[in-house]
Amino acid sequence: QVQLVESGGGLVQAGDSLRLSCAASGRTFSTDVMGWFRQAPGKEREFVAAIRWSGIGTYYADSVKGRFTFSRDNAKSTVYLQMSSLKPEDTAVYYCAARRPGGSTNSVADFYSWGPGTQVTVSS
């Protein structure tokens, strides 16, 4: 099992930027894909972005495409979500997750390890 801890959330104004970090530890060798998901109160957890540890492919939900950028630092076992042009609709708890090889890139059910989440609040 890989342990994940998110950081970098906070309260910002619409149009501002934030960078979320997710530090991984433990059995990181078993992880193929890292993902970011978010969940607002009363709503289902939704896919935000995903990236491969050893590949180049990066995937984004339509709602964040062009505004969010997913990157990684393999030496630090850390992934980042750079968020710009933030909107009130982006307000949610953001979760970092890990997936083993195989499965869907954007499916919550296919990710086996999750961080505790970090709150992002965007005011208007």
Side-chain angles (χ1 to χ4, degrees):
Q1 184 86 330
V2 60
Q3 290 76 50
L4 306 172
V5 180
E6 305 94 337
S7 62
L11 173 63
V12 298
Q13 293 182 310
D16 284 356
S17 298
L18 273 178
R19 189 182 75 163
L20 305 183
S21 299
C22 175
S25 61
R27 300 177 64 185
T28 57
F29 59 85
S30 65
T31 300
D32 175 55
V33 170
M34 297 293 293
W36 284 100
F37 295 78
R38 66 186 182 186
Q39 186 169 22
K43 297 183 179 180
E44 295 183 350
R45 191 168 299 185
E46 66 174 352
F47 169 77
V48 175
I51 193 170
R52 297 184 181 277
W53 273 117
S54 59
I56 301 176
T58 308
Y59 312 90
Y60 299 94
D62 289 341
S63 60
V64 305
K65 196 173 299 182
R67 299 189 297 119
F68 291 9
T69 301
F70 203 164
S71 62
R72 66 178 186 268
D73 187 334
N74 289 9
K76 296 181 179 180
S77 296
T78 302
V79 298
Y80 307 92
L81 185 67
Q82 178 66 49
M83 306 182 292
S84 62
S85 301
L86 284 165
K87 307 174 182 179
E89 307 92 89
D90 296 319
T91 296
V93 176
Y94 283 71
Y95 297 92
C96 177
R99 198 204 78 186
R100 296 187 178 94
S104 177
T105 303
N106 63 355
S107 175
V108 171
D110 288 333
F111 285 75
Y112 78 99
S113 186
W114 297 80
T118 185
Q119 177 72 45
V120 173
T121 302
V122 184
S123 65
S124 58

